Amino acid sequence: MHCVGTSFKIALCLCLLVACASVTALDVSDVDVWWGVRRVWRQQAPHVDAEHSDAQQELARMGGVCRRHVDQFIDGVEADNTWAIKVWDTSGHYPGQLYAGDRHWLGSLSLCSDLNAEFIANKSFSRPPFPLTFYVATLKLMTTSLPRPDQKTPVNIGLCLPKSCSLEDIQHLLNSGKNFKLASLRHIKGEYQFWNDTSFSLLMFTFFVVGSLMIAGTWYDLTILQPAITCEKVALAMYGNNNNNGSILQHKNNQTGCNNMDSGEIKQANKQMAKNPGQEPIKKEIRFKGITTVVPPTGSASKALERVSEVLKAFSVPANVKKICSLEANEDTLTPLHGLRVISILWVIMIHTCLVIFHVANNKLYRSKAEEDFLYHTLSSGTFSVDTFFFVSGLLISFLYFRTRSKFDLQEFTKQEDGLKGQGIQFSSMIVYRFFRLTPPYLIMIWIVDVSMKHFRDHSVLEFPSMDYQNCENYWWRNILYINTMFPSVERCMSWSWYLANDSQFYVIGAILLIISKRYFHVAAGLVSTLFVLGWGATAVVSLSHKHITDPKEPLANYDELYDKPWARIGPYLVGLCTGWLLFHLKCTITLSKTWVYVVWSATGVTLLSVVYGLHYIKLGPTTSAMYVALCHTAWALALAWVVIACVTGYGGRLNSILSWKYLYPFSRLTYCVYLIHPQLMRSAVLAAESPMHISRDLMIVQFLGFTVASYMLAFVFSLSFEAPCISLLKMLHPQKRHKNTAIDT
């Protein structure tokens, strides 16, 4: 009988901890879990053998020490012992709002850890008599009184339990329940330490190396390079102004810090430069605040020092800050694209804010109310923000390619005739440049996600469905090869990186099409048309085969099959390619009557609004959904094509002033780093908490603004450390990039 009594106590402890005592009635006695447990103890204990035989079998498999500690805990709660009440209080309980969607009954991990610390320190009189640990169990409540009774409702419950209980013991304990079914169990050990992880150590070493280069580059730029350039500027000014007297020259000399040169030496240097006009092909140009000084090199040693100088300057913080924060646009930059980038990344941040916060909300049914709002479609149609990036990417590669080819001879860079070999070299250089332009910051971010998600997996009671804590370590190579969208989403690292994979694959296709178009334009045009048709057809077929119904309430339905696959998203990129070619051949000028401008603008506005908000009034079936999914992305890009063409050619009006506002340029240049950083920033902020959030419209706005500001601040540092130096180093190695400083702007 003693064994039966102990087993039954364990069964009661189970009900106590998981807060499931007769939830179906949901009256006062059932909401107060401990009250309900004590009632069961008094009234049903004599029937334990008859009614709990299955539970007895599960409980019998538990370890003896674990059973003894759980029994001791139950006795302590009944006796109102302070330590037992504290342990009970740290576990999750039914908090109410089950019908509002509260699925997180997490208790307090920190309080459980504090109680365990009291046991270890052996100081508190009311300390637990055994060590404690924390678990998070996902249970499916087996009741028909909950919303959607046709589905089993998952609930995450925090459990502060004796450390003597193993993971198997807790599984047996939970499997003995009647009103619930164990779905998963996670032990929050808190044992992961960054410094014990080799990946983290290597990441810190990388930060140290980059930080050292930034310090060295900044010191070199401020103490050596800028004073030298200033001296050469003074020399040029003196060479061009022979009437200046010595006192003024000496004053300029001292003012600029060129203390090691007097005016006579500067004049002599200028005369020497003037005597060697034949050295022009090997001269070095130094540009400082709009004034160019020409200095002849002095040999191979000087060239080596020049390379070292360029490497150090690539990591100079002041130099990179000037590039990022510059309010000047390069002549090859289409300024409205800056505004499109900023608007699109803000749209992306807003959508991800809602998705991340909603995942840990304790009033999930708030979403059902929000879905009835007309403006909710701004969120559900957020996929078009990424289509904007695809469009901009295709437009830039096309426009810059044709403009560059019109200015520079291919043989100058490839040393080959404009034939197959020369085109192969050109294609390879484009791909290599693209790879090293994107990958270093991307790889660092994968590294950060890997170590941070390992930490949160072992320390946080909250959890996201992604498995980055193991996927990033196992499948990082798929990301840097930009093929991760070819694999199931459950095997991916950084789920938001699907865009980079698709965009890189499109870049390869675009490079091939552009190179072909130089000699065989009609062939390239035919291939573009074929890709349009194949993309639409494949998307429609996949949609029909999966019986997909486009529903704003489920924007990520059939994610692996439709949302992120290249054939479903290539349309906007192809539209961008065509738009870039058109702008180049029109030389960014076009003449239209006011009537046509009005008609095209009206059609554009209707298209944009219909794509985003049209489904609020229309319910689609399988066939119409297939047509919508196949064509909506291309339609969005076509509307954007007119927006860009109109703004560039003078028909944009006030909209062009907004999109081309110079103060948007710095924010636009940070778009790539913001895209990489912001989802992990959101996840880290949420996972660092111990409890869910009660969402509301005002809270979501505040969260969005906070995440936006924080993302841009971190992206600025990230760009200074990794992106901007990579761009400068690539410009050193890429001959074509030496002619035009378009890297940052594009």
Side-chain angles (χ1 to χ4, degrees), residues 453 457 463-469 471 490 492 495 683:
M453 294 309 289
R457 175 69 179 176
E463 188 178 17
F464 286 98
S466 65
M467 300 178 68
D468 286 346
Y469 58 91
N471 286 347
V490 295
R492 295 185 199 168
S495 58
R683 296 198 299 182

Side-chain angles (χ1 to χ4, degrees), residues 95-115:
Q97 302 186 67
L98 186 64
Y99 287 91
D102 190 356
R103 302 291 185 263
H104 298 283
W105 309 348
L106 297 174
S108 176
L109 170 63
S110 60
L111 289 179
C112 185
S113 300
D114 291 342
L115 289 174

Side-chain angles (χ1 to χ4, degrees), residues 6-217:
T6 301
S7 299
F8 186 63
K9 287 181 182 180
I10 295 174
L12 289 174
C13 175
L14 169 66
C15 296
L16 171 69
L17 293 175
V18 302
C20 293
S22 304
V23 177
T24 55
L26 287 179
D27 59 18
V28 176
S29 64
D30 295 325
V31 172
D32 188 335
V33 177
W34 178 235
W35 193 97
V37 169
R38 294 188 62 179
R39 182 188 63 180
V40 173
W41 176 271
R42 292 190 182 119
Q43 296 180 359
Q44 298 187 16
H47 308 288
V48 65
D49 291 330
E51 297 185 7
H52 299 278
S53 58
D54 293 338
Q56 290 295 322
Q57 294 179 7
E58 290 290 342
L59 296 175
R61 298 189 179 98
M62 294 177 60
V65 178
C66 174
R67 290 162 61 91
R68 184 171 66 252
H69 285 168
V70 172
D71 185 51
Q72 188 177 1
F73 167 57
I74 287 290
D75 289 339
V77 173
E78 283 201 315
D80 290 334
N81 291 337
T82 303
W83 71 266
I85 298 300
K86 286 183 177 179
V87 174
W88 167 78
D89 190 50
T90 61
S91 293
H93 306 285
Y94 173 54
Q97 302 186 67
L98 186 64
Y99 287 91
D102 190 356
R103 302 291 185 263
H104 298 283
W105 309 348
L106 297 174
S108 176
L109 170 63
S110 60
L111 289 179
C112 185
S113 300
D114 291 342
L115 289 174
N116 190 57
E118 289 183 11
F119 168 81
I120 296 174
N122 196 22
K123 293 181 179 180
S124 174
F125 174 76
S126 60
R127 67 184 182 278
F130 44 76
L132 301 169
T133 190
F134 205 85
Y135 291 86
V136 174
T138 301
L139 306 175
K140 293 184 178 180
L141 302 185
M142 313 295 287
T143 174
T144 59
S145 65
L146 295 174
R148 291 181 163 181
D150 57 312
Q151 299 181 10
K152 305 305 178 184
T153 306
V155 175
N156 297 316
I157 301 179
L159 306 173
C160 187
L161 295 169
K163 199 169 186 177
S164 58
C165 296
S166 66
L167 192 67
E168 291 74 16
D169 290 333
I170 307 304
Q171 289 174 342
H172 292 315
L173 184 67
L174 297 177
N175 285 331
S176 65
K178 177 182 178 182
N179 293 327
F180 52 83
K181 181 179 180 181
L182 177 63
S184 65
L185 181 65
R186 187 162 59 96
H187 189 187
I188 313 299
K189 297 180 181 179
E191 296 177 352
Y192 174 85
Q193 299 297 325
F194 287 120
W195 291 109
N196 295 332
D197 189 347
T198 304
S199 296
F200 180 78
S201 299
L202 292 174
L203 179 62
M204 290 298 100
F205 177 74
T206 302
F207 285 161
F208 172 77
V209 171
V210 173
S212 300
L213 288 172
M214 292 173 69
I215 294 173

Side-chain angles (χ1 to χ4, degrees), residues 192 194 197 200 203 445-459 469 680 683-684 687:
Y192 174 85
F194 287 120
D197 189 347
F200 180 78
L203 179 62
M445 197 62 220
I446 292 174
W447 225 336
I448 294 174
V449 171
D450 176 40
V451 297
S452 61
M453 294 309 289
K454 287 178 183 176
H455 169 80
F456 287 121
R457 175 69 179 176
D458 195 50
H459 289 79
Y469 58 91
Q680 185 58 29
R683 296 198 299 182
S684 298
L687 291 175

Side-chain angles (χ1 to χ4, degrees), residues 676-696:
L676 288 177
I677 288 173
H678 81 274
Q680 185 58 29
L681 171 66
M682 295 176 183
R683 296 198 299 182
S684 298
V686 169
L687 291 175
E690 284 194 4
S691 60
M693 295 184 180
H694 189 83
I695 59 176
S696 64

Side-chain angles (χ1 to χ4, degrees), residues 415-435:
K415 308 302 180 183
Q416 300 288 334
E417 296 293 334
D418 193 7
L420 184 61
K421 188 173 182 178
Q423 292 171 345
I425 294 175
Q426 184 185 13
F427 173 77
S428 300
S429 65
M430 292 174 68
I431 301 303
V432 169
Y433 179 84
R434 162 84 177 192
F435 180 83

